Amino acid sequence: MSRPGPPSRTTAVRPLPGEALPAGQRRFLIRGQLRRPLALTVADLRERWPQRRAEVVFDCATNGPQHHTFAGPLLREVIDAAGPAFDARRRKDRSRYLLAVTGGDGHHAVLSWAELDADFGDAPVLLATAMDGRALDAAGSQLVVPSDRCGARYVSALTGIWFGTCAPPEAVPEPSSGDLVDSS
């Protein structure tokens, strides 16, 4: 079965019914409060977005210090292509959004959109397509947070990214003098 025409730069390549992905490719989903949810492979990330490099050092709890060079697109640019459901002109609206990233081993991490947004943290977080010069097509993309000193948010073999807001916390009533605990 063949596809009609080449895919555009901002839409996902989705197999037609009954069509499998090429061998050695993993797909992950980007969903949530987005206008255009995406299903992407490492090849999609490599072909559709500019590749950035990040030389990183982070501490792994099980393997000690890790030194790697990653390449891949900025997470911010990939999410932008999915059409975040916020009003981009309103900074306070953008600052309420979160990303929950899940890996193939069940490991997950949370980032705030403000960390990535150029008006706030402008962090160059990557969706890696290569590590130390080796393509990650078979292993799956990896979340890379270059500013982190520990590797807890380096999520491997991505299976999904959820983007959206969580409900604001309920108002906490003022404590009465009887509710206060003396810590002295």
Side-chain angles (χ1 to χ4, degrees), residues 157-171:
L158 295 185
T159 58
I161 298 173
W162 175 87
F163 179 85
T165 60
C166 60
E170 292 182 25

Side-chain angles (χ1 to χ4, degrees), residues 31 33 43 45 56 58 96 107 140 156 161 164 174:
R31 60 187 175 74
Q33 294 171 337
L45 292 172
V56 301
F58 60 89
R96 299 179 309 117
H107 180 77
S156 299
I161 298 173
E174 288 290 324

Side-chain angles (χ1 to χ4, degrees), residues 12-183:
V13 174
R14 295 176 191 215
L16 296 171
E19 182 181 21
L21 283 172
Q25 288 192 14
R26 294 174 178 244
R27 184 176 340 140
F28 67 96
L29 303 175
I30 300 177
R31 60 187 175 74
Q33 294 171 337
L34 300 162
R35 291 177 185 86
R36 295 173 298 279
L38 299 172
L40 299 169
T41 64
V42 171
D44 295 329
L45 292 172
R46 188 182 305 99
E47 294 165 6
R48 296 178 184 180
W49 289 277
Q51 302 295 290
R52 311 292 172 97
R53 284 180 43 115
E55 293 184 22
V56 301
V57 177
F58 60 89
D59 186 42
C60 175
T62 55
N63 297 318
Q66 300 291 302
H67 302 262
H68 296 289
T69 301
F70 289 97
L74 292 173
L75 174 56
R76 169 180 63 238
E77 292 176 353
V78 176
I79 296 297
D80 278 342
F86 52 61
D87 182 347
R89 298 167 298 181
R90 298 182 60 212
R91 289 181 179 155
K92 286 187 178 180
D93 193 29
R94 288 181 282 157
S95 69
R96 299 179 309 117
Y97 282 77
L98 304 171
L99 297 96
V101 181
T102 305
D105 63 357
H107 180 77
H108 59 276
V110 176
L111 297 100
S112 72
W113 179 253
E115 287 180 80
L116 310 178
D117 192 298
D119 285 340
F120 295 98
D122 199 20
V125 175
L126 300 180
L127 292 177
T129 59
M131 181 173 83
D132 301 329
R134 292 185 312 274
L136 293 174
D137 294 79
S141 184
Q142 180 168 335
L143 179 71
V144 176
V145 187
S147 60
D148 283 5
R149 292 188 327 216
C150 81
R153 294 197 299 177
Y154 281 67
V155 179
S156 299
L158 295 185
T159 58
I161 298 173
W162 175 87
F163 179 85
T165 60
C166 60
E170 292 182 25
V172 178
E174 288 290 324
S176 65
S177 60
D179 292 337
L180 297 177
V181 176
D182 185 7
S183 62

